[in-house]
Amino acid sequence: MADYEDPKKTVNTSFLFEEYLSNFLTLIKFAKWDNLCGPKVIKVWRSESSESVQDSDSLVYISNHILNGEVWRLTDKDWIELKFYIFPKFNLLTLSAIFLNTSDVYSISFLFPFSQH
């Protein structure tokens, strides 16, 4: 948790990107799996209306569920895989690109609002 930066301090995006975030996406999250500490959120871009994921624990929870199953993959090649997740607890759905770079597993996740009704 010490490596996590407050998302409100890390937002540094262009006007066009902010416009898409506020109208369509809840947030975009870039994370890495750390073999000692678990998921590490590297960067977050959030809209002003992202009320369902306000704290770092929620982002780590989502990152853990996205990256957890990918850690033990045995491969010697770089790969990219798209996965779709639903998090009813946060009223979010995600489209995540999970990829291996050298020996590290990363994900970039696009979180969208979701309602069960």
Side-chain angles (χ1 to χ4, degrees), residues 1 3 8 15 19 35 41-42 54-55 59 62-63 66 68 71 85 89 99 102 104 116-117:
M1 291 288 290
D3 294 326
K8 294 177 183 174
F15 173 75
E19 184 175 327
N35 287 329
V41 178
I42 297 171
Q54 290 295 330
D55 60 352
L59 292 172
I62 291 170
S63 297
I66 291 171
N68 197 11
V71 176
Y85 297 90
K89 177 179 178 178
F99 55 96
T102 59
D104 296 322
Q116 295 182 15
H117 305 284

Short mmCIF file of all heavy atoms in Angstrom, two decimals, residues 1 3 8 15 19 35 41-42 54-55 59 62-63 66 68 71 85 89 99 102 104 116-117:
data_model
loop_
_atom_site.label_atom_id
_atom_site.label_comp_id
_atom_site.label_asym_id
_atom_site.label_seq_id
_atom_site.Cartn_x
_atom_site.Cartn_y
_atom_site.Cartn_z
N MET A 1 0.81 -1.20 0.00
CA MET A 1 0.00 0.00 0.00
C MET A 1 0.85 1.26 0.00
O MET A 1 0.39 2.28 -0.44
CB MET A 1 -0.92 0.01 1.21
CG MET A 1 -2.00 -1.04 1.17
SD MET A 1 -3.27 -0.70 -0.02
CE MET A 1 -4.04 0.69 0.77
N ASP A 3 3.25 2.04 -1.88
CA ASP A 3 3.61 2.47 -3.23
C ASP A 3 2.45 3.10 -3.97
O ASP A 3 2.62 3.61 -5.06
CB ASP A 3 4.12 1.28 -4.04
CG ASP A 3 5.43 0.75 -3.47
OD1 ASP A 3 6.21 1.57 -2.98
OD2 ASP A 3 5.63 -0.45 -3.52
N LYS A 8 -6.24 11.32 -7.02
CA LYS A 8 -6.53 12.73 -7.23
C LYS A 8 -5.25 13.52 -7.50
O LYS A 8 -5.28 14.56 -8.12
CB LYS A 8 -7.26 13.30 -6.02
CG LYS A 8 -8.65 12.69 -5.87
CD LYS A 8 -9.34 13.19 -4.64
CE LYS A 8 -10.68 12.48 -4.50
NZ LYS A 8 -11.35 12.80 -3.26
N PHE A 15 -7.51 17.23 -22.35
CA PHE A 15 -8.92 17.61 -22.29
C PHE A 15 -9.80 16.54 -22.93
O PHE A 15 -10.84 16.18 -22.39
CB PHE A 15 -9.15 18.96 -22.98
CG PHE A 15 -10.60 19.33 -23.09
CD1 PHE A 15 -11.29 19.77 -21.97
CD2 PHE A 15 -11.27 19.20 -24.28
CE1 PHE A 15 -12.63 20.09 -22.05
CE2 PHE A 15 -12.61 19.51 -24.37
CZ PHE A 15 -13.29 19.97 -23.26
N GLU A 19 -12.77 14.34 -21.14
CA GLU A 19 -14.14 14.37 -21.62
C GLU A 19 -14.70 12.96 -21.77
O GLU A 19 -15.82 12.68 -21.39
CB GLU A 19 -14.19 15.11 -22.97
CG GLU A 19 -15.58 15.28 -23.49
CD GLU A 19 -15.60 16.12 -24.76
OE1 GLU A 19 -14.77 17.02 -24.90
OE2 GLU A 19 -16.47 15.84 -25.60
N ASN A 35 5.18 -10.02 -6.79
CA ASN A 35 5.19 -11.35 -6.18
C ASN A 35 5.32 -11.33 -4.66
O ASN A 35 4.96 -12.30 -4.00
CB ASN A 35 6.32 -12.20 -6.78
CG ASN A 35 6.01 -12.63 -8.18
OD1 ASN A 35 4.85 -12.82 -8.54
ND2 ASN A 35 7.03 -12.77 -8.99
N VAL A 41 -1.17 -0.89 -7.70
CA VAL A 41 -1.80 0.06 -8.62
C VAL A 41 -0.76 1.12 -8.96
O VAL A 41 -0.23 1.79 -8.08
CB VAL A 41 -3.05 0.70 -8.00
CG1 VAL A 41 -3.65 1.72 -8.95
CG2 VAL A 41 -4.08 -0.37 -7.65
N ILE A 42 -0.45 1.24 -10.25
CA ILE A 42 0.60 2.16 -10.69
C ILE A 42 0.04 3.52 -11.05
O ILE A 42 0.58 4.55 -10.66
CB ILE A 42 1.36 1.56 -11.88
CG1 ILE A 42 2.05 0.27 -11.44
CG2 ILE A 42 2.36 2.55 -12.45
CD1 ILE A 42 2.66 -0.52 -12.56
N GLN A 54 -13.66 4.90 -4.45
CA GLN A 54 -13.07 6.14 -3.92
C GLN A 54 -11.77 5.91 -3.17
O GLN A 54 -10.97 6.81 -3.05
CB GLN A 54 -14.06 6.85 -3.00
CG GLN A 54 -15.24 7.44 -3.73
CD GLN A 54 -14.82 8.56 -4.67
OE1 GLN A 54 -13.86 9.26 -4.44
NE2 GLN A 54 -15.55 8.71 -5.76
N ASP A 55 -11.55 4.71 -2.66
CA ASP A 55 -10.37 4.51 -1.83
C ASP A 55 -9.40 3.52 -2.48
O ASP A 55 -9.75 2.78 -3.39
CB ASP A 55 -10.76 4.03 -0.43
CG ASP A 55 -11.52 2.72 -0.44
OD1 ASP A 55 -11.87 2.24 -1.53
OD2 ASP A 55 -11.76 2.18 0.64
N LEU A 59 -9.44 -0.22 -5.14
CA LEU A 59 -8.64 -0.41 -6.35
C LEU A 59 -7.73 -1.63 -6.23
O LEU A 59 -7.55 -2.37 -7.19
CB LEU A 59 -7.82 0.84 -6.64
CG LEU A 59 -8.62 2.06 -7.06
CD1 LEU A 59 -7.73 3.29 -7.13
CD2 LEU A 59 -9.31 1.83 -8.39
N ILE A 62 -9.94 -4.78 -6.68
CA ILE A 62 -10.23 -5.02 -8.09
C ILE A 62 -8.99 -5.55 -8.81
O ILE A 62 -9.06 -6.50 -9.57
CB ILE A 62 -10.78 -3.74 -8.75
CG1 ILE A 62 -12.18 -3.44 -8.19
CG2 ILE A 62 -10.82 -3.87 -10.26
CD1 ILE A 62 -12.73 -2.09 -8.57
N SER A 63 -7.84 -4.95 -8.55
CA SER A 63 -6.58 -5.39 -9.18
C SER A 63 -6.25 -6.83 -8.79
O SER A 63 -5.78 -7.61 -9.61
CB SER A 63 -5.43 -4.47 -8.77
OG SER A 63 -5.65 -3.18 -9.23
N ILE A 66 -8.37 -9.22 -10.79
CA ILE A 66 -8.00 -9.23 -12.20
C ILE A 66 -6.68 -9.97 -12.43
O ILE A 66 -6.55 -10.77 -13.35
CB ILE A 66 -7.95 -7.80 -12.75
CG1 ILE A 66 -9.37 -7.21 -12.79
CG2 ILE A 66 -7.29 -7.75 -14.12
CD1 ILE A 66 -9.42 -5.74 -13.10
N ASN A 68 -4.82 -11.95 -10.13
CA ASN A 68 -4.53 -13.10 -9.30
C ASN A 68 -4.36 -14.40 -10.08
O ASN A 68 -3.43 -15.16 -9.85
CB ASN A 68 -5.60 -13.26 -8.23
CG ASN A 68 -5.16 -14.15 -7.11
OD1 ASN A 68 -4.00 -14.50 -6.99
ND2 ASN A 68 -6.10 -14.52 -6.27
N VAL A 71 -0.81 -15.01 -12.39
CA VAL A 71 0.54 -15.04 -11.84
C VAL A 71 1.26 -16.35 -12.14
O VAL A 71 2.45 -16.37 -12.44
CB VAL A 71 0.48 -14.80 -10.32
CG1 VAL A 71 1.86 -14.93 -9.70
CG2 VAL A 71 -0.10 -13.45 -10.04
N TYR A 85 -14.79 -8.56 -16.58
CA TYR A 85 -15.15 -8.84 -15.19
C TYR A 85 -16.33 -7.95 -14.78
O TYR A 85 -16.44 -6.82 -15.25
CB TYR A 85 -13.99 -8.53 -14.23
CG TYR A 85 -12.77 -9.37 -14.45
CD1 TYR A 85 -11.77 -8.96 -15.32
CD2 TYR A 85 -12.61 -10.57 -13.77
CE1 TYR A 85 -10.64 -9.74 -15.52
CE2 TYR A 85 -11.48 -11.34 -13.97
CZ TYR A 85 -10.50 -10.92 -14.85
OH TYR A 85 -9.39 -11.69 -15.05
N LYS A 89 -20.34 -5.42 -6.30
CA LYS A 89 -20.11 -4.69 -5.05
C LYS A 89 -19.87 -3.20 -5.31
O LYS A 89 -20.25 -2.35 -4.51
CB LYS A 89 -18.91 -5.32 -4.35
CG LYS A 89 -18.48 -4.64 -3.08
CD LYS A 89 -17.28 -5.36 -2.47
CE LYS A 89 -16.81 -4.69 -1.23
NZ LYS A 89 -15.68 -5.39 -0.61
N PHE A 99 -1.25 -8.48 -19.63
CA PHE A 99 -0.11 -8.79 -20.49
C PHE A 99 1.14 -9.05 -19.68
O PHE A 99 1.28 -8.61 -18.54
CB PHE A 99 0.14 -7.67 -21.52
CG PHE A 99 0.31 -6.30 -20.93
CD1 PHE A 99 1.58 -5.79 -20.71
CD2 PHE A 99 -0.78 -5.51 -20.63
CE1 PHE A 99 1.75 -4.52 -20.18
CE2 PHE A 99 -0.63 -4.24 -20.11
CZ PHE A 99 0.64 -3.75 -19.89
N THR A 102 8.47 -9.17 -20.15
CA THR A 102 9.61 -9.89 -19.57
C THR A 102 9.07 -10.89 -18.55
O THR A 102 8.49 -11.87 -18.93
CB THR A 102 10.67 -8.94 -18.98
OG1 THR A 102 10.11 -8.12 -17.97
CG2 THR A 102 11.28 -8.09 -20.06
N ASP A 104 7.13 -9.78 -15.73
CA ASP A 104 6.12 -9.10 -14.91
C ASP A 104 4.76 -9.14 -15.59
O ASP A 104 4.65 -9.00 -16.80
CB ASP A 104 6.52 -7.64 -14.68
CG ASP A 104 7.80 -7.52 -13.88
OD1 ASP A 104 7.99 -8.32 -12.95
OD2 ASP A 104 8.61 -6.63 -14.18
N GLN A 116 -27.47 -3.74 -12.20
CA GLN A 116 -28.10 -5.04 -12.37
C GLN A 116 -29.57 -4.91 -12.74
O GLN A 116 -30.23 -5.88 -13.05
CB GLN A 116 -27.96 -5.87 -11.10
CG GLN A 116 -26.53 -6.22 -10.80
CD GLN A 116 -26.42 -7.07 -9.54
OE1 GLN A 116 -27.39 -7.61 -9.07
NE2 GLN A 116 -25.21 -7.19 -9.04
N HIS A 117 -30.11 -3.73 -12.69
CA HIS A 117 -31.54 -3.52 -12.95
C HIS A 117 -31.75 -2.85 -14.28
O HIS A 117 -31.03 -2.09 -14.76
CB HIS A 117 -32.19 -2.71 -11.85
CG HIS A 117 -31.96 -3.31 -10.50
ND1 HIS A 117 -32.64 -4.41 -10.07
CD2 HIS A 117 -31.11 -2.99 -9.50
CE1 HIS A 117 -32.24 -4.73 -8.85
NE2 HIS A 117 -31.31 -3.88 -8.48
#
